[in-house]
Amino acid sequence: MRSQILALTFATAVVGHGIVTSPPARVVGDAMKAACGQQVSNNLQSNAYGDIQQLAQIGTSQKDFNATLCDVTMCKGLQFEDNANNVQHFTAGQVVPITVDIQAKHTGTANVSVVDTATNTVIGNQLVYFPVYASTSTEIPANQTSFSVTMPDVSAQCGAAGACVMQWWWDSRQSDQTYMSCVDFTM
Ligand SMILES: [Cu+2]
């Protein structure tokens, strides 16, 4: 028990690492709390920048964590219902500027993709891919935190709010930490 408390204290004390700040990304709300439980919800509330491995680790030790409803690999378990008033509208061919805030570096890869939320699968090709991202051996290039993507025509799949998100995904095998943000949108 003591080691569990220490582990949790340590986990919440570590500053998280990255999030999309624009366009607005999914945030915590009551639906997320119901699906993911109190501890996971609290963690994400206090540390929106955190990695999904930490959320999964906390969740598996909690009785009110529903692994089916709260898939941390799908928008960190953040729910559409909590973000229904924050849905962007994009058109095919629209150039969408994206701003990322990174608090600490871990060498990895990153991409932005359109994800089908019903299946948690990428639709079509990645919109942008960074083979080396947030490397610990260099300063972060400006175009890794401020860049644009051109929206493909996903109007057939993404017409209804909640069907799709634009997902920013940064995966560091160096640290076994994965960060993500989801922007709800319709086309
Ligand atoms: Cu870290």
Side-chain angles (χ1 to χ4, degrees), residues 14 17 106 175 177 179:
V14 172
H17 299 334
H106 282 302
S175 62
Q177 291 176 352
Y179 305 92

Side-chain angles (χ1 to χ4, degrees), residues 75-115:
C75 301
K76 289 182 162 175
L78 296 167
Q79 304 288 310
F80 170 70
E81 288 78 0
D82 295 325
N83 294 274
N85 292 328
N86 214 8
V87 179
Q88 309 300 300
H89 183 75
F90 300 141
T91 54
Q94 182 175 343
V95 176
V96 179
I98 296 174
T99 308
V100 178
D101 188 27
I102 294 177
Q103 293 180 329
K105 298 182 285 189
H106 282 302
T107 307
T109 65
N111 73 77
V112 173
S113 301
V114 175
V115 170

